[in-house]
Amino acid sequence: MIILYAFIHEEKHQDLLDRYLSVFSGKFREDILKYRRWQDAQLSLLGKVLLEHGLRVYYNLQDVEIDVLANKKPILKGHDIHFNISHSKDLVLCAIAEAPIGIDVEFLDPQINYLDFKSQMTPDEFHRIHHSDSKIKSFFTYWTSKEAVLKAHGDGMMIPLESFEINGNECSIDNEKFYVKELFIDKKYQSCIASADINIKEENSMYVHVKLEDLF
């Protein structure tokens, strides 16, 4: 499994648009150009750029078509390679693996009040966060692990966060077991990856920091 990540930079924004916007479909180009903030446009574009870069460099795959399942989860058409993309603040992650995966990253925002999310937690989850020495870290560990599981499952918003609980980095949804692994990318961010493949627990992921200047 490969985890590619990059940080957005305003001074590289126009270069990225000029170099990569024409590579992707008309619909995706239109969506990128609709963003009012350069940050949102670059985060979205970089996710696709990291995927294209990772497939080409590490899997020798080019011009791969992305299809969308009925549950709106994107897949690589005609290939048994799976991916998932997440971004927050200034960081974009793209995970590529041989099994279905979900990945989530969140900026450790000190302004977040975990009490506002109590209704989306199980009683045990709330207790662990509430009595933690680092409530912000504990809250975002809970959040990213659950979001990663939902993305690995594929049904996303159809499954309430409080309807399942992760214990020992494992959980079950609809009798399907999922495994969670915490990732470390940057001290300002919390990230987790999840899969129904138990091997994710022991797999040594390759972390690749893609610098924007290397993409041109």
Side-chain angles (χ1 to χ4, degrees):
M1 179 169 62
I2 299 173
I3 312 292
L4 300 101
Y5 66 97
F7 293 89
I8 61 172
H9 293 285
E10 185 173 10
E11 63 271 20
K12 297 291 184 182
H13 188 59
Q14 191 58 52
D15 290 338
L16 280 169
L17 292 178
D18 294 341
R19 170 67 178 85
Y20 287 101
L21 207 54
S22 63
V23 173
F24 302 111
S25 69
K27 175 64 166 63
F28 182 70
R29 290 197 299 270
E30 291 174 7
D31 291 341
I32 292 295
L33 294 173
K34 285 179 182 177
Y35 287 111
R36 295 185 177 181
R37 299 172 68 245
W38 73 266
Q39 294 95 329
D40 298 326
Q42 193 173 133
L43 286 167
S44 183
L45 179 59
L46 260 185
K48 286 286 188 71
V49 170
L50 290 180
L51 175 61
E52 185 272 341
H53 179 78
L55 291 174
R56 175 171 48 83
V57 174
Y58 299 99
Y59 291 88
N60 197 29
L61 294 175
Q62 300 187 54
D63 301 320
V64 176
E65 185 178 349
I66 295 178
D67 201 359
V68 180
L69 300 177
N71 59 14
K72 297 186 178 181
K73 184 172 183 176
I75 62 168
L76 297 181
K77 194 171 183 179
H79 295 279
D80 197 23
I81 300 294
H82 304 266
F83 74 94
N84 203 230
I85 297 169
S86 183
H87 55 75
S88 180
K89 188 78 172 171
D90 297 329
L91 177 62
V92 186
L93 303 184
C94 175
I96 306 175
E98 287 71 37
I101 49 173
I103 193 169
D104 192 61
V105 63
E106 296 291 342
F107 173 66
L108 293 170
D109 187 351
Q111 302 302 315
I112 285 290
N113 186 349
Y114 71 95
L115 295 172
D116 293 339
F117 300 87
K118 183 177 181 180
S119 64
Q120 299 181 56
M121 305 177 196
T122 68
D124 284 346
E125 287 169 344
F126 179 76
H127 182 270
R128 287 196 294 268
I129 294 171
H130 190 61
H131 294 280
S132 170
D133 291 335
S134 177
K135 293 178 174 58
I136 293 295
K137 168 73 172 175
S138 294
F139 169 75
F140 281 109
T141 299
Y142 141 81
W143 188 268
T144 56
S145 61
K146 284 210 162 181
E147 288 292 324
V149 167
L150 292 182
K151 294 172 76 175
H153 183 280
D155 280 349
M157 298 300 292
M158 300 299 292
I159 303 172
L161 289 176
E162 70 277 10
S163 66
F164 66 98
E165 185 172 308
I166 299 171
N167 286 305
N169 292 324
E170 299 180 5
C171 68
S172 292
I173 299 177
D174 299 331
N175 296 319
E176 184 177 10
K177 202 163 190 177
F178 291 89
Y179 306 91
V180 179
K181 184 177 181 179
E182 187 173 350
L183 307 175
F184 177 78
I185 304 295
D186 184 275
K187 64 182 181 180
K188 296 180 180 179
Y189 295 83
Q190 175 65 27
S191 181
C192 286
I193 194 163
S195 177
D197 183 356
I198 193 173
N199 293 317
I200 197 174
K201 296 176 68 175
E202 306 299 332
E203 186 172 353
N204 292 320
S205 304
M206 178 189 296
Y207 293 82
V208 180
H209 181 191
V210 179
K211 297 181 181 179
L212 299 195
E213 55 266 28
D214 296 335
L215 293 172
F216 303 107

